[in-house]
Amino acid sequence: FENRTTFAVVDRDAFPGIPIRTGPSTPDGTLLSTDYYSVLLRPACSPLLAMDAVGPAHAQRYPEPQQAEDRAACCELCTGDPTCIAWVFAAEFVGSPNCWLLASFETTRFAPDRDMGFRVSFRVLGPGGESEVLYDSHEDTNGRLNKLHWPAPLAAPAYALTDFPRFFVPPWGPLPRPLGAS
């Protein structure tokens, strides 16, 4: 049913899928809709105002805070580093390092002097539209997106998983690699 290394579904022609319609693009983002759910893809630099990261791990290319003129410049630095998933900007420090680029974080907290943004930001809506928000990446406080953590039953109507890094069992199973195996 799937290629274990890539998790790509094989023989896709056997599954017709469901039609996806693209709605108009607005300042809020682009809406992709099916008969069952919709996904609002937000622009990459849409910030959460007065928000900061707790327990951050810095992006690989920028382990130290950078200097940015504004939130857009901070976001641009983040999009230039493939390990960056989020950024924090402090306008009060313009002219000195004021942009933190993050590979992960533990959670978020209210901080009136900080703004936070994400490379990927989306909202999943049920058939009821805006009145039925199933998942909103802005409200997910799990900053370790590749951590295999499941919410408690009935604690959330939906959750999202990041397909990185990929986990799969090698041909020799869950044992140490045999000599000569690749």
Side-chain angles (χ1 to χ4, degrees), residues 131-182:
S131 65
E132 189 180 357
V133 177
L134 300 176
Y135 177 82
D136 191 329
S137 64
H138 275 182
E139 295 173 9
D140 190 344
T141 61
N142 177 18
R144 301 196 187 277
L145 298 178
N146 63 351
K147 184 177 174 183
L148 295 177
H149 169 76
W150 307 99
L154 305 177
Y159 51 89
L161 298 175
T162 301
D163 189 19
F164 176 82
R166 291 248 164 96
F167 298 101
F168 65 95
V169 178
W172 53 84
L175 302 171
R177 182 176 59 155
L179 292 175
S182 60

Side-chain angles (χ1 to χ4, degrees), residues 2-8 166-169:
E2 69 184 27
N3 175 310
R4 298 300 297 168
T5 304
T6 64
F7 286 143
R166 291 248 164 96
F167 298 101
F168 65 95
V169 178

Side-chain angles (χ1 to χ4, degrees), residues 34-100:
T34 72
D35 292 338
Y36 309 100
Y37 60 90
S38 299
V39 178
L40 175 66
L41 301 174
R42 293 187 186 106
C45 289
S46 55
L48 289 172
L49 303 179
M51 191 67 61
D52 195 2
V54 174
H58 297 281
Q60 205 169 52
R61 188 173 293 163
Y62 302 106
E64 299 297 325
Q66 300 297 301
Q67 185 173 334
E69 290 183 29
D70 54 24
R71 289 187 299 255
C74 189
C75 179
E76 189 174 328
L77 287 169
C78 184
T79 57
D81 183 340
T83 67
C84 182
I85 65 161
W87 49 268
V88 174
F89 177 76
E92 68 191 53
F93 298 127
V94 169
S96 61
N98 62 346
C99 173
W100 294 265

Side-chain angles (χ1 to χ4, degrees), residues 105-142:
F105 55 94
E106 291 175 10
T107 189
T108 58
R109 69 174 179 87
F110 174 76
D113 58 340
R114 302 278 195 274
D115 297 328
M116 185 173 185
F118 302 88
R119 281 182 68 172
V120 176
S121 177
F122 62 97
R123 174 183 281 178
V124 180
L125 308 169
E130 283 294 330
S131 65
E132 189 180 357
V133 177
L134 300 176
Y135 177 82
D136 191 329
S137 64
H138 275 182
E139 295 173 9
D140 190 344
T141 61
N142 177 18

Side-chain angles (χ1 to χ4, degrees), residues 6-28:
T6 64
F7 286 143
V9 175
V10 296
D11 298 326
R12 286 179 181 261
D13 295 338
F15 305 97
I18 56 175
I20 299 176
R21 300 174 296 281
T22 303
S25 290
T26 69
D28 291 334

